[in-house]
Amino acid sequence: MAEALRPLLRNRLVLFGTALILLVVLLAAFADLVAPYDPTEMKVADALKRPSAPHPFGTDRFGRDVLSRTIHGSRIALGVALSSIAIAFAAGTVLGLVGGYTGGWPDLVIGRVMDVLFSFPTLILAIGIAAMLGPGLNNAALAIAVVYAPLFSRVARGPVIAEREKDHVVAAQGLGAGWPRVVFRHILPNVLAPLIVQASVSLAFAILIEASLSYLGLGTQPPDPSWGTMLNEGRTYLETAPWMSIFPGLAIMVAVFGFNLLGDGLRDILDPQLRGR
Amino acid sequence: MTDAPRPHSQISRRRFLSLAAAATAASTTARRAAAQARPPRLGGTFISAKTTEAPSLEPVLEQALGRIRLDPIFYNRLVEWSADGKLEPSLAESWTTSADGKVWTFKLRRGVKFHNGREFVADDAKYSYERVLDPKGSSGGRGYLSAIDTMETPDKYTLRVHTKQPSASLLAGMAGGWSSIIPKEVVEEKGDLRRIAVGTGPFIFQEWVPQSYLKARKNPDYWDKGKPYVDALELKVIPDEANIIAQLRTGNVHHALLEDNKNYLLVKDDKRLIALRAPRLGFDMVMINHGRKPFTDVRVRQAISLAVDRTEVLQVAASGLGSVTGPLTPAMKPWALPVETFKEWYTPNPERAKKLLADAGFPRGFKTTLKVIPTFPTMVAGAQVIAAQLKKVGVDAQIVQEEYGVWIKAIIKPSFDYDLTMNITTGDADPDSLLYRRFHSVEKQWNNDGDPEIDALLDQGKLTVDLAKRKEVYDKVQRLMVEKAIQIWTFAPDMIDITQSSVHYDQHFTTNYYGFRTAWLER
Amino acid sequence: MRRYVLVRTLSILPTLIGVSVAVFLMIRLIPGTIVEQMIGTEGTYSEQSMRALRAFFGLDQPIHVQYGRWLGQVLRGDLGTSWRTGLPVLQMITSRLQVTLELTLGAMLVALAVGIPLGIVSARRENTRLDHTVRVVSLFSLSIPVFWQATMLILATSLWLDWAPAVDFVSPFTSLRANLAIIALPSLALGTAVAAVFMRMTRSTLLEVMRQDYIRTARAKGLREPAVVWGHALKNSLIPLITVVGVQVGYLLGGVVVTEEVFTLPGVGRLILWAVFQRDYPLVQGTILFVSLLFMLSNLLVDLVYAYVDPRIRYG
């Protein structure tokens, strides 16, 4: 692993990304302790106040403290994004690997089902599933997972097909390795790189889809402070109270940026050519 | 709002603008006054923007969300509401009632042409009303015209209507949401009027791209000579109101009716724009399902009424631009009791609320749900404030957002699947039209219950033609409804129209589309 | 190869059937129908009119009958009539298709034109300041929510430049200049996120490929650097990239909904959204089926190019 550590500069980026994510995770874990106010406490008299000493991020239209809401929002963002993409990653990758490696009927069936899911515009499918399941965060996460699974399956499948013809794979098969060993030991590492890139990108969009779902009432229920809901609440106040949108927007960017940096770093570390050394 | 220092260039720009605004505001008013004296300039295309539109052009099958109904553009009714709340002749020139009040004779206007060239006759009115009343049809307007028993057309320009009982609200029903006069042959040819509009109105249908724009041109043969003043009308759908404000500011759009009143605060000092404010017929409320415990107990409902601070709700949901309201909104001028009448129940009193709850068997409050449609901004804002207020007396109302299609199925008869729900209505100018089918036990469209005392009064109000006596009846109704907390009336947001300063436009208290008939452009 | 083309093309049919079943069921699984919306809370409810309305829309028929009827219509080339507007579904789609296609194409062009070159540059100058800057910037652009970005742009231009994006869509055939003015900003907003994806994909696969043994062999053989990069590495990087392009088209067709909504472009994305909320079954079914077909055709194209580029891939 130490040999896999690249020159200092890239390492710094990975560390930075990890630090950002840790920040978000810690905020999520200790939100109650860190946030100065109750995120749902309303003081209508203090509505729409600019950032100042008592409210460093200002207040929203109900007089709620934006800083506290942003901190608590990390819980929802992380929870929904991680759970939905984790499910999508696992389910999609397995399906893509199985289909790509086996070929024939399994590939056909899996491919068709994925194609059908794929053919729905992303947001529409998410809305459809969330509408079927009903409002609430868990259902929103499930909807996002279903929407993104085909993506992972497709990203996994292509390289699998390319990989399975490769010398080292054929060699392993020739040596008598069973398919799980072949798939997970020999193929997966080479497929992992684009998958990880895809995962880190998907995390961002998962947060954004959750925002859209929340706007339509299918995700976070008020007064829970999801960053997406905050962005949408702030949209009509962009001129009068831009801080309502700036800070949750920044929070999203920070979290997503962190994930992307980490994803890049992981990709480098997991590069199979390096592992061998 | 501006308590922190701003960058230098922005200060100067703002100060300059506000000074300029003050200076030109005076001249704008003066200009306006001078303009009123001038005759209207004819011509031009009037462009109005809104955030949503009715799904189709149908005057009979569509629900009566007055703010998005297009009828006044293409159609007329026998009688119509004037801008200041009186019923005035339109396609009916005059009418008389028999001594027993059960026979109405309408003398209809001659020489009125439909857009397809055919002359309007009494049979058209009869056909139009029959279509609304058709029990197999889907018109929601049946309740408006339910007083009608039979109709006959003794000659081309006379319509005689027989009612079972004298009706105080028949005329209001004819002026109301679903009563546009339509031509039979067009309906028979096209099946319905969803995608075209053929009426007697001031504008003729040209083109409609759903959810994008609607184009109409002036009806040169319109019976109200001289109107409309503009040559063409274009209604654009721009879902984002911030964008509408941008379009107004840059002169791309002449007029818009605000969906979210807080945007008024953005434009009221802008010298390029004029903001018109008037009380609105419609209002926001919290509906209570009388069919579910614990809301069957009047004390619980009263407790809720005492827990809600309506002024605060108005402040948050509509930026204070409106008024707290009782069962009849201030826009219903002859009928509405002043809000002070209800101060016993409208002044927030958490202590008394808690006591009432304890009396009803809930000393520690209870849990319930409050439904909200996420795409209605005043509802969403109001719900959060109200939930917080209810929490203070121990009622833990969990907010549940439901997309409109889901919500409507749950709320209406026969489901009544809700505890509490936010709702919004465009209201009605006549108290009987507004209250009867929603609250009377026979119909109980809302709230899932009727109260016998109120029922009796509503029945009486339907039949009492004498104005003074009728007012007494509805005064009693309002007091009882608030006392028994049939539902929680919160506020009526002001109707705010924004136009370019070069645009002349008059608000109409029912729906702003009447304003297009008399709108004109200075350039 | 010819056999592959034929089989692959025909394989669209079962997927199309699958989509038709899926969308048919999905929209009916969402609670609420058009009937309740038409009555609303303002209308007068009656048992009789509810029944009459349901019969009018065929909602009282058993589900397989409804499906069969609709499928029969579709196979005859008739996508049906919108329940809400009374207009033919196909007409409603085509009047808006131009906008969506243009937006998707515009975004894709932006993404390819910006993403791939940046990816190549970044990979070739791996670990230099340039590489890191490009990576950081692309990550940032990925992190900005499109609708937020768009709204801020509209706000900024209206306040400071006194200019607002035109609301009327003008076809490029009517006025290319006006059309580009309208489509440029949304294409940019939608395309930058995808550009970042392409940049990252190009960079990562190119780096990977360049580390492969056969590249080292080519270098050892004395091939010059540009030949190595362009000849061998890029060609082999194309395979995963083509996959990603295919994936991104699907993503774009979905992301188009948000972009259309914010920039209020009269496209198909918004139409679908609206139709779902109205529970206008024929419109939902017809539009999604149509868009799916388009998407499947684009996937078909991707797969065919894929197969051409890598002769080892064959239909299983």
Side-chain angles (χ1 to χ4, degrees), chain C residues 292-309:
Chain C
S292 309
L293 181 61
L294 280 185
F295 180 59
M296 282 183 233
L297 289 176
S298 95
N299 279 352
L300 175 63
L301 201 63
V302 165
D303 277 358
L304 291 180
V305 172
Y306 203 103
Y308 175 73
V309 164

mmCIF file with all atom_site columns, all heavy atoms in Angstrom, chain C residues 292-309:
data_model
loop_
_atom_site.group_PDB
_atom_site.id
_atom_site.type_symbol
_atom_site.label_atom_id
_atom_site.label_alt_id
_atom_site.label_comp_id
_atom_site.label_asym_id
_atom_site.label_entity_id
_atom_site.label_seq_id
_atom_site.pdbx_PDB_ins_code
_atom_site.Cartn_x
_atom_site.Cartn_y
_atom_site.Cartn_z
_atom_site.occupancy
_atom_site.B_iso_or_equiv
_atom_site.pdbx_formal_charge
_atom_site.auth_seq_id
_atom_site.auth_comp_id
_atom_site.auth_asym_id
_atom_site.auth_atom_id
_atom_site.pdbx_PDB_model_num
ATOM 1   N N   . SER C 1 292 ? -38.129 6.773  -24.877 1.00 0.00 ? 292 SER C N   1
ATOM 2   C CA  . SER C 1 292 ? -37.379 5.530  -24.724 1.00 0.00 ? 292 SER C CA  1
ATOM 3   C C   . SER C 1 292 ? -36.893 5.018  -26.062 1.00 0.00 ? 292 SER C C   1
ATOM 4   O O   . SER C 1 292 ? -35.757 4.570  -26.183 1.00 0.00 ? 292 SER C O   1
ATOM 5   C CB  . SER C 1 292 ? -38.255 4.450  -24.090 1.00 0.00 ? 292 SER C CB  1
ATOM 6   O OG  . SER C 1 292 ? -38.845 4.936  -22.942 1.00 0.00 ? 292 SER C OG  1
ATOM 7   N N   . LEU C 1 293 ? -37.766 5.089  -27.046 1.00 0.00 ? 293 LEU C N   1
ATOM 8   C CA  . LEU C 1 293 ? -37.375 4.614  -28.368 1.00 0.00 ? 293 LEU C CA  1
ATOM 9   C C   . LEU C 1 293 ? -36.165 5.397  -28.863 1.00 0.00 ? 293 LEU C C   1
ATOM 10  O O   . LEU C 1 293 ? -35.197 4.830  -29.353 1.00 0.00 ? 293 LEU C O   1
ATOM 11  C CB  . LEU C 1 293 ? -38.548 4.750  -29.337 1.00 0.00 ? 293 LEU C CB  1
ATOM 12  C CG  . LEU C 1 293 ? -38.266 4.247  -30.752 1.00 0.00 ? 293 LEU C CG  1
ATOM 13  C CD1 . LEU C 1 293 ? -37.930 2.766  -30.709 1.00 0.00 ? 293 LEU C CD1 1
ATOM 14  C CD2 . LEU C 1 293 ? -39.470 4.482  -31.658 1.00 0.00 ? 293 LEU C CD2 1
ATOM 15  N N   . LEU C 1 294 ? -36.230 6.698  -28.697 1.00 0.00 ? 294 LEU C N   1
ATOM 16  C CA  . LEU C 1 294 ? -35.104 7.543  -29.098 1.00 0.00 ? 294 LEU C CA  1
ATOM 17  C C   . LEU C 1 294 ? -33.830 7.111  -28.397 1.00 0.00 ? 294 LEU C C   1
ATOM 18  O O   . LEU C 1 294 ? -32.770 6.982  -28.997 1.00 0.00 ? 294 LEU C O   1
ATOM 19  C CB  . LEU C 1 294 ? -35.379 9.007  -28.737 1.00 0.00 ? 294 LEU C CB  1
ATOM 20  C CG  . LEU C 1 294 ? -36.268 9.805  -29.669 1.00 0.00 ? 294 LEU C CG  1
ATOM 21  C CD1 . LEU C 1 294 ? -36.306 11.235 -29.180 1.00 0.00 ? 294 LEU C CD1 1
ATOM 22  C CD2 . LEU C 1 294 ? -35.764 9.737  -31.082 1.00 0.00 ? 294 LEU C CD2 1
ATOM 23  N N   . PHE C 1 295 ? -33.977 6.916  -27.092 1.00 0.00 ? 295 PHE C N   1
ATOM 24  C CA  . PHE C 1 295 ? -32.815 6.530  -26.310 1.00 0.00 ? 295 PHE C CA  1
ATOM 25  C C   . PHE C 1 295 ? -32.272 5.180  -26.758 1.00 0.00 ? 295 PHE C C   1
ATOM 26  O O   . PHE C 1 295 ? -31.059 4.980  -26.880 1.00 0.00 ? 295 PHE C O   1
ATOM 27  C CB  . PHE C 1 295 ? -33.191 6.507  -24.827 1.00 0.00 ? 295 PHE C CB  1
ATOM 28  C CG  . PHE C 1 295 ? -32.061 6.134  -23.947 1.00 0.00 ? 295 PHE C CG  1
ATOM 29  C CD1 . PHE C 1 295 ? -30.897 6.868  -23.913 1.00 0.00 ? 295 PHE C CD1 1
ATOM 30  C CD2 . PHE C 1 295 ? -32.133 5.000  -23.146 1.00 0.00 ? 295 PHE C CD2 1
ATOM 31  C CE1 . PHE C 1 295 ? -29.837 6.516  -23.108 1.00 0.00 ? 295 PHE C CE1 1
ATOM 32  C CE2 . PHE C 1 295 ? -31.089 4.647  -22.330 1.00 0.00 ? 295 PHE C CE2 1
ATOM 33  C CZ  . PHE C 1 295 ? -29.940 5.392  -22.311 1.00 0.00 ? 295 PHE C CZ  1
ATOM 34  N N   . MET C 1 296 ? -33.197 4.244  -27.013 1.00 0.00 ? 296 MET C N   1
ATOM 35  C CA  . MET C 1 296 ? -32.754 2.920  -27.458 1.00 0.00 ? 296 MET C CA  1
ATOM 36  C C   . MET C 1 296 ? -32.020 3.015  -28.784 1.00 0.00 ? 296 MET C C   1
ATOM 37  O O   . MET C 1 296 ? -31.032 2.318  -29.010 1.00 0.00 ? 296 MET C O   1
ATOM 38  C CB  . MET C 1 296 ? -33.955 1.995  -27.610 1.00 0.00 ? 296 MET C CB  1
ATOM 39  C CG  . MET C 1 296 ? -34.454 1.454  -26.308 1.00 0.00 ? 296 MET C CG  1
ATOM 40  S SD  . MET C 1 296 ? -35.806 0.330  -26.606 1.00 0.00 ? 296 MET C SD  1
ATOM 41  C CE  . MET C 1 296 ? -37.028 1.013  -25.555 1.00 0.00 ? 296 MET C CE  1
ATOM 42  N N   . LEU C 1 297 ? -32.504 3.875  -29.650 1.00 0.00 ? 297 LEU C N   1
ATOM 43  C CA  . LEU C 1 297 ? -31.835 4.030  -30.935 1.00 0.00 ? 297 LEU C CA  1
ATOM 44  C C   . LEU C 1 297 ? -30.430 4.588  -30.736 1.00 0.00 ? 297 LEU C C   1
ATOM 45  O O   . LEU C 1 297 ? -29.482 4.171  -31.409 1.00 0.00 ? 297 LEU C O   1
ATOM 46  C CB  . LEU C 1 297 ? -32.654 4.944  -31.849 1.00 0.00 ? 297 LEU C CB  1
ATOM 47  C CG  . LEU C 1 297 ? -33.956 4.318  -32.380 1.00 0.00 ? 297 LEU C CG  1
ATOM 48  C CD1 . LEU C 1 297 ? -34.755 5.336  -33.188 1.00 0.00 ? 297 LEU C CD1 1
ATOM 49  C CD2 . LEU C 1 297 ? -33.657 3.092  -33.212 1.00 0.00 ? 297 LEU C CD2 1
ATOM 50  N N   . SER C 1 298 ? -30.310 5.520  -29.799 1.00 0.00 ? 298 SER C N   1
ATOM 51  C CA  . SER C 1 298 ? -28.969 6.071  -29.579 1.00 0.00 ? 298 SER C CA  1
ATOM 52  C C   . SER C 1 298 ? -28.050 5.021  -28.966 1.00 0.00 ? 298 SER C C   1
ATOM 53  O O   . SER C 1 298 ? -26.870 4.938  -29.294 1.00 0.00 ? 298 SER C O   1
ATOM 54  C CB  . SER C 1 298 ? -29.042 7.329  -28.707 1.00 0.00 ? 298 SER C CB  1
ATOM 55  O OG  . SER C 1 298 ? -28.827 7.030  -27.354 1.00 0.00 ? 298 SER C OG  1
ATOM 56  N N   . ASN C 1 299 ? -28.606 4.195  -28.087 1.00 0.00 ? 299 ASN C N   1
ATOM 57  C CA  . ASN C 1 299 ? -27.815 3.092  -27.532 1.00 0.00 ? 299 ASN C CA  1
ATOM 58  C C   . ASN C 1 299 ? -27.392 2.124  -28.614 1.00 0.00 ? 299 ASN C C   1
ATOM 59  O O   . ASN C 1 299 ? -26.277 1.601  -28.620 1.00 0.00 ? 299 ASN C O   1
ATOM 60  C CB  . ASN C 1 299 ? -28.652 2.319  -26.504 1.00 0.00 ? 299 ASN C CB  1
ATOM 61  C CG  . ASN C 1 299 ? -28.643 3.014  -25.183 1.00 0.00 ? 299 ASN C CG  1
ATOM 62  O OD1 . ASN C 1 299 ? -27.918 3.965  -24.978 1.00 0.00 ? 299 ASN C OD1 1
ATOM 63  N ND2 . ASN C 1 299 ? -29.471 2.550  -24.269 1.00 0.00 ? 299 ASN C ND2 1
ATOM 64  N N   . LEU C 1 300 ? -28.333 1.864  -29.522 1.00 0.00 ? 300 LEU C N   1
ATOM 65  C CA  . LEU C 1 300 ? -28.047 0.956  -30.631 1.00 0.00 ? 300 LEU C CA  1
ATOM 66  C C   . LEU C 1 300 ? -26.839 1.470  -31.398 1.00 0.00 ? 300 LEU C C   1
ATOM 67  O O   . LEU C 1 300 ? -25.906 0.729  -31.713 1.00 0.00 ? 300 LEU C O   1
ATOM 68  C CB  . LEU C 1 300 ? -29.274 0.864  -31.538 1.00 0.00 ? 300 LEU C CB  1
ATOM 69  C CG  . LEU C 1 300 ? -29.097 0.040  -32.811 1.00 0.00 ? 300 LEU C CG  1
ATOM 70  C CD1 . LEU C 1 300 ? -28.816 -1.404 -32.455 1.00 0.00 ? 300 LEU C CD1 1
ATOM 71  C CD2 . LEU C 1 300 ? -30.352 0.130  -33.681 1.00 0.00 ? 300 LEU C CD2 1
ATOM 72  N N   . LEU C 1 301 ? -26.888 2.755  -31.668 1.00 0.00 ? 301 LEU C N   1
ATOM 73  C CA  . LEU C 1 301 ? -25.784 3.375  -32.399 1.00 0.00 ? 301 LEU C CA  1
ATOM 74  C C   . LEU C 1 301 ? -24.478 3.195  -31.637 1.00 0.00 ? 301 LEU C C   1
ATOM 75  O O   . LEU C 1 301 ? -23.448 2.817  -32.211 1.00 0.00 ? 301 LEU C O   1
ATOM 76  C CB  . LEU C 1 301 ? -26.083 4.872  -32.566 1.00 0.00 ? 301 LEU C CB  1
ATOM 77  C CG  . LEU C 1 301 ? -25.334 5.561  -33.704 1.00 0.00 ? 301 LEU C CG  1
ATOM 78  C CD1 . LEU C 1 301 ? -25.742 4.941  -35.023 1.00 0.00 ? 301 LEU C CD1 1
ATOM 79  C CD2 . LEU C 1 301 ? -25.633 7.049  -33.708 1.00 0.00 ? 301 LEU C CD2 1
ATOM 80  N N   . VAL C 1 302 ? -24.530 3.450  -30.349 1.00 0.00 ? 302 VAL C N   1
ATOM 81  C CA  . VAL C 1 302 ? -23.333 3.301  -29.512 1.00 0.00 ? 302 VAL C CA  1
ATOM 82  C C   . VAL C 1 302 ? -22.807 1.877  -29.577 1.00 0.00 ? 302 VAL C C   1
ATOM 83  O O   . VAL C 1 302 ? -21.626 1.628  -29.784 1.00 0.00 ? 302 VAL C O   1
ATOM 84  C CB  . VAL C 1 302 ? -23.641 3.678  -28.043 1.00 0.00 ? 302 VAL C CB  1
ATOM 85  C CG1 . VAL C 1 302 ? -22.552 3.179  -27.108 1.00 0.00 ? 302 VAL C CG1 1
ATOM 86  C CG2 . VAL C 1 302 ? -23.792 5.172  -27.929 1.00 0.00 ? 302 VAL C CG2 1
ATOM 87  N N   . ASP C 1 303 ? -23.709 0.908  -29.430 1.00 0.00 ? 303 ASP C N   1
ATOM 88  C CA  . ASP C 1 303 ? -23.280 -0.489 -29.450 1.00 0.00 ? 303 ASP C CA  1
ATOM 89  C C   . ASP C 1 303 ? -22.681 -0.877 -30.795 1.00 0.00 ? 303 ASP C C   1
ATOM 90  O O   . ASP C 1 303 ? -21.713 -1.637 -30.873 1.00 0.00 ? 303 ASP C O   1
ATOM 91  C CB  . ASP C 1 303 ? -24.471 -1.399 -29.133 1.00 0.00 ? 303 ASP C CB  1
ATOM 92  C CG  . ASP C 1 303 ? -24.689 -1.521 -27.637 1.00 0.00 ? 303 ASP C CG  1
ATOM 93  O OD1 . ASP C 1 303 ? -23.891 -0.929 -26.883 1.00 0.00 ? 303 ASP C OD1 1
ATOM 94  O OD2 . ASP C 1 303 ? -25.639 -2.202 -27.221 1.00 0.00 ? 303 ASP C OD2 1
ATOM 95  N N   . LEU C 1 304 ? -23.276 -0.378 -31.860 1.00 0.00 ? 304 LEU C N   1
ATOM 96  C CA  . LEU C 1 304 ? -22.753 -0.718 -33.181 1.00 0.00 ? 304 LEU C CA  1
ATOM 97  C C   . LEU C 1 304 ? -21.362 -0.142 -33.377 1.00 0.00 ? 304 LEU C C   1
ATOM 98  O O   . LEU C 1 304 ? -20.463 -0.805 -33.908 1.00 0.00 ? 304 LEU C O   1
ATOM 99  C CB  . LEU C 1 304 ? -23.704 -0.217 -34.272 1.00 0.00 ? 304 LEU C CB  1
ATOM 100 C CG  . LEU C 1 304 ? -25.053 -0.945 -34.351 1.00 0.00 ? 304 LEU C CG  1
ATOM 101 C CD1 . LEU C 1 304 ? -25.908 -0.384 -35.457 1.00 0.00 ? 304 LEU C CD1 1
ATOM 102 C CD2 . LEU C 1 304 ? -24.840 -2.439 -34.550 1.00 0.00 ? 304 LEU C CD2 1
ATOM 103 N N   . VAL C 1 305 ? -21.195 1.102  -32.937 1.00 0.00 ? 305 VAL C N   1
ATOM 104 C CA  . VAL C 1 305 ? -19.857 1.712  -33.033 1.00 0.00 ? 305 VAL C CA  1
ATOM 105 C C   . VAL C 1 305 ? -18.873 0.924  -32.181 1.00 0.00 ? 305 VAL C C   1
ATOM 106 O O   . VAL C 1 305 ? -17.749 0.644  -32.595 1.00 0.00 ? 305 VAL C O   1
ATOM 107 C CB  . VAL C 1 305 ? -19.918 3.185  -32.559 1.00 0.00 ? 305 VAL C CB  1
ATOM 108 C CG1 . VAL C 1 305 ? -18.515 3.763  -32.454 1.00 0.00 ? 305 VAL C CG1 1
ATOM 109 C CG2 . VAL C 1 305 ? -20.760 3.995  -33.512 1.00 0.00 ? 305 VAL C CG2 1
ATOM 110 N N   . TYR C 1 306 ? -19.308 0.585  -30.998 1.00 0.00 ? 306 TYR C N   1
ATOM 111 C CA  . TYR C 1 306 ? -18.538 -0.244 -30.064 1.00 0.00 ? 306 TYR C CA  1
ATOM 112 C C   . TYR C 1 306 ? -18.051 -1.507 -30.754 1.00 0.00 ? 306 TYR C C   1
ATOM 113 O O   . TYR C 1 306 ? -16.873 -1.861 -30.727 1.00 0.00 ? 306 TYR C O   1
ATOM 114 C CB  . TYR C 1 306 ? -19.494 -0.609 -28.930 1.00 0.00 ? 306 TYR C CB  1
ATOM 115 C CG  . TYR C 1 306 ? -18.906 -0.983 -27.618 1.00 0.00 ? 306 TYR C CG  1
ATOM 116 C CD1 . TYR C 1 306 ? -18.902 -0.087 -26.564 1.00 0.00 ? 306 TYR C CD1 1
ATOM 117 C CD2 . TYR C 1 306 ? -18.404 -2.264 -27.398 1.00 0.00 ? 306 TYR C CD2 1
ATOM 118 C CE1 . TYR C 1 306 ? -18.424 -0.447 -25.337 1.00 0.00 ? 306 TYR C CE1 1
ATOM 119 C CE2 . TYR C 1 306 ? -17.911 -2.620 -26.162 1.00 0.00 ? 306 TYR C CE2 1
ATOM 120 C CZ  . TYR C 1 306 ? -17.935 -1.717 -25.129 1.00 0.00 ? 306 TYR C CZ  1
ATOM 121 O OH  . TYR C 1 306 ? -17.456 -2.082 -23.907 1.00 0.00 ? 306 TYR C OH  1
ATOM 122 N N   . ALA C 1 307 ? -19.011 -2.190 -31.386 1.00 0.00 ? 307 ALA C N   1
ATOM 123 C CA  . ALA C 1 307 ? -18.659 -3.454 -32.025 1.00 0.00 ? 307 ALA C CA  1
ATOM 124 C C   . ALA C 1 307 ? -17.692 -3.228 -33.174 1.00 0.00 ? 307 ALA C C   1
ATOM 125 O O   . ALA C 1 307 ? -16.795 -4.034 -33.420 1.00 0.00 ? 307 ALA C O   1
ATOM 126 C CB  . ALA C 1 307 ? -19.919 -4.149 -32.524 1.00 0.00 ? 307 ALA C CB  1
ATOM 127 N N   . TYR C 1 308 ? -17.868 -2.132 -33.861 1.00 0.00 ? 308 TYR C N   1
ATOM 128 C CA  . TYR C 1 308 ? -16.964 -1.844 -34.961 1.00 0.00 ? 308 TYR C CA  1
ATOM 129 C C   . TYR C 1 308 ? -15.558 -1.587 -34.446 1.00 0.00 ? 308 TYR C C   1
ATOM 130 O O   . TYR C 1 308 ? -14.582 -2.041 -35.038 1.00 0.00 ? 308 TYR C O   1
ATOM 131 C CB  . TYR C 1 308 ? -17.484 -0.631 -35.736 1.00 0.00 ? 308 TYR C CB  1
ATOM 132 C CG  . TYR C 1 308 ? -16.561 -0.170 -36.819 1.00 0.00 ? 308 TYR C CG  1
ATOM 133 C CD1 . TYR C 1 308 ? -16.428 -0.903 -37.988 1.00 0.00 ? 308 TYR C CD1 1
ATOM 134 C CD2 . TYR C 1 308 ? -15.810 0.993  -36.665 1.00 0.00 ? 308 TYR C CD2 1
ATOM 135 C CE1 . TYR C 1 308 ? -15.573 -0.485 -38.984 1.00 0.00 ? 308 TYR C CE1 1
ATOM 136 C CE2 . TYR C 1 308 ? -14.953 1.409  -37.656 1.00 0.00 ? 308 TYR C CE2 1
ATOM 137 C CZ  . TYR C 1 308 ? -14.840 0.674  -38.810 1.00 0.00 ? 308 TYR C CZ  1
ATOM 138 O OH  . TYR C 1 308 ? -13.983 1.096  -39.789 1.00 0.00 ? 308 TYR C OH  1
ATOM 139 N N   . VAL C 1 309 ? -15.476 -0.849 -33.366 1.00 0.00 ? 309 VAL C N   1
ATOM 140 C CA  . VAL C 1 309 ? -14.170 -0.479 -32.826 1.00 0.00 ? 309 VAL C CA  1
ATOM 141 C C   . VAL C 1 309 ? -13.436 -1.673 -32.213 1.00 0.00 ? 309 VAL C C   1
ATOM 142 O O   . VAL C 1 309 ? -12.242 -1.829 -32.356 1.00 0.00 ? 309 VAL C O   1
ATOM 143 C CB  . VAL C 1 309 ? -14.335 0.642  -31.762 1.00 0.00 ? 309 VAL C CB  1
ATOM 144 C CG1 . VAL C 1 309 ? -13.098 0.784  -30.906 1.00 0.00 ? 309 VAL C CG1 1
ATOM 145 C CG2 . VAL C 1 309 ? -14.673 1.938  -32.451 1.00 0.00 ? 309 VAL C CG2 1
#
